[in-house]
Amino acid sequence: FVAGCASAGSPKKPDKITQELLNSPKEVLFEKGKDLFDKKKFDQGRKYLNFVFETYPNEKEGRQALLLVADSYFRQGGTTGYTEARFRYRDYLNRYPGAPQRDYARYQFALCYDKEHEKADRDQTSTREALQQYRVLLQEFPNSTYVTVALERIRRLTDALADHEFGVGYFYIRKGAPAAALGR
């Protein structure tokens, strides 16, 4: 046991990024993360932005960093990207009830679900959730710049849900179940 501990040697020196994170001011780290984000180097940029957020969560840079991390996942796209973005936007909404960019975060949160909605013949859970989040946006921020877009998306998503319900009702009619079709 003693020989095993003695051979462990001295602790490893931190890598370059870790040293930079520990020795640079938050403003420099935030700008570096933002620059990497702008260059679409999302994974690298998130290292800096996550550090700024986790270290300074109640400062302006920390709040902005959390939004940029969410935006990076959103721009990355795909099921994983939208799911991660949703978690980050929700985190922002829960942590900062008086933040000036809450309407943006709420809109993006709804848009994540919107991007994942399925065709009319598939499960409509994401469509329903997107509708709900757009309605919350309208309720919380009636004067937001996102209201017009949200109203248009609500109209289109409602039409998509109607197409889904019609398709299910038509299926029941063809199968000889008029009572089930009537419910649709």
Side-chain angles (χ1 to χ4, degrees):
F1 175 74
V2 174
C5 290
S7 67
S10 62
K12 283 184 160 181
K13 189 175 180 182
D15 65 352
K16 181 182 173 190
I17 293 176
T18 303
Q19 286 180 350
E20 186 177 6
L21 291 173
L22 296 174
N23 297 321
S24 299
K26 67 181 179 250
E27 296 83 8
V28 171
L29 297 173
F30 178 78
E31 286 303 319
K32 183 150 188 177
K34 191 174 173 184
D35 289 342
L36 289 166
F37 172 83
D38 291 339
K39 294 176 183 172
K40 297 181 181 175
K41 296 181 178 180
F42 300 126
D43 290 335
Q44 293 171 350
R46 279 193 288 261
K47 289 177 186 175
Y48 292 93
L49 294 169
N50 273 326
F51 182 82
V52 171
F53 163 68
E54 290 169 3
T55 309
Y56 309 99
N58 295 322
E59 296 185 23
K60 179 184 170 190
E61 290 86 358
R63 287 191 304 269
Q64 274 304 114
L66 179 57
L67 268 184
L68 284 174
V69 168
D71 287 345
S72 73
Y73 281 114
F74 183 83
R75 287 187 50 195
Q76 187 174 319
T79 303
T80 303
Y82 294 133
T83 301
E84 287 292 333
R86 259 196 330 265
F87 289 136
R88 299 310 190 285
Y89 290 126
R90 184 176 35 206
D91 191 18
Y92 183 87
L93 292 166
N94 290 337
R95 283 178 185 262
Y96 308 115
Q101 292 183 305
R102 278 182 59 80
D103 64 334
Y104 171 75
R106 177 65 68 188
Y107 173 73
Q108 288 294 113
F109 186 62
L111 198 55
C112 288
Y113 282 111
D114 196 347
K115 292 282 188 182
E116 292 183 308
H117 87 272
E118 299 281 346
K119 294 179 181 178
D121 63 339
R122 301 288 177 201
D123 179 34
Q124 296 299 303
T125 303
S126 293
T127 308
R128 287 184 184 91
E129 191 60 40
L131 276 168
Q132 174 62 28
Q133 294 307 319
Y134 283 128
R135 289 180 182 131
V136 170
L137 171 70
L138 296 176
Q139 183 179 4
E140 286 183 8
F141 308 101
N143 299 323
S144 172
T145 58
Y146 302 103
V147 167
T148 306
V149 179
L151 287 170
E152 176 61 23
R153 291 308 304 156
I154 286 172
R155 187 185 68 74
R156 290 191 181 219
L157 291 172
T158 302
D159 287 349
L161 276 179
D163 287 345
H164 171 74
E165 294 298 322
F166 178 80
V168 173
Y170 185 68
F171 169 80
Y172 284 133
I173 285 289
R174 285 191 349 232
K175 292 295 180 185
L182 185 61
R184 296 298 181 145

